[in-house]
Amino acid sequence: MSTEIIIYILIGVVIVVAAHVLLHRLLKFKMDESAIVKFLQGFENEDKYQTNTAISTAVNISIPRVAVVCEKSEHITHAAEDTQTWAIKNDKKT
């Protein structure tokens, strides 16, 4: 095998591995986000803000992961006075 073929094979492997890692991260985020949103939707009419600890316990995701997912999510917002308390964003436009 020539050196060029080996280099092309290695580049191909790196691209496949990188795509796999990115896809895995995206799917994990979306699954975690979906679980958290589903949990928070149960509180829309009551005390809609829930803490990282309450969410973590209910959906079985670590507290740091809950904080990261809630911060990145477009569907979740934190309370103005407390960045560790989360609720579903009110996207209703009038």
Side-chain angles (χ1 to χ4, degrees):
M1 285 183 139
S2 73
T3 306
E4 286 181 357
I5 293 174
I6 293 173
I7 290 172
Y8 290 135
I9 290 172
L10 287 175
I11 290 172
V13 169
V14 167
I15 290 172
V16 168
V17 169
H20 176 75
V21 168
L22 290 174
L23 185 60
H24 180 266
R25 285 183 180 177
L26 176 64
L27 286 174
K28 180 154 178 54
F29 173 79
K30 285 299 187 182
M31 288 172 46
D32 290 348
E33 180 188 41
S34 175
I36 294 169
V37 166
K38 194 175 288 186
F39 171 73
L40 290 174
Q41 284 174 338
F43 295 96
E44 285 185 304
N45 296 329
E46 305 169 19
D47 181 23
K48 67 180 188 172
Y49 288 98
Q50 298 296 314
T51 64
N52 285 344
T53 306
I55 296 168
S56 174
T57 302
V59 298
N60 199 24
I61 299 172
S62 70
I63 292 172
R65 179 69 180 159
V66 168
V68 168
V69 171
C70 289
E71 189 66 40
K72 288 183 178 181
S73 176
E74 296 177 358
H75 306 288
I76 301 170
T77 187
H78 62 79
E81 65 280 354
D82 184 3
T83 60
Q84 301 300 310
T85 306
W86 307 96
I88 299 294
K89 278 187 181 174
N90 187 2
D91 292 331
K92 295 176 183 170
K93 295 179 181 173
T94 55

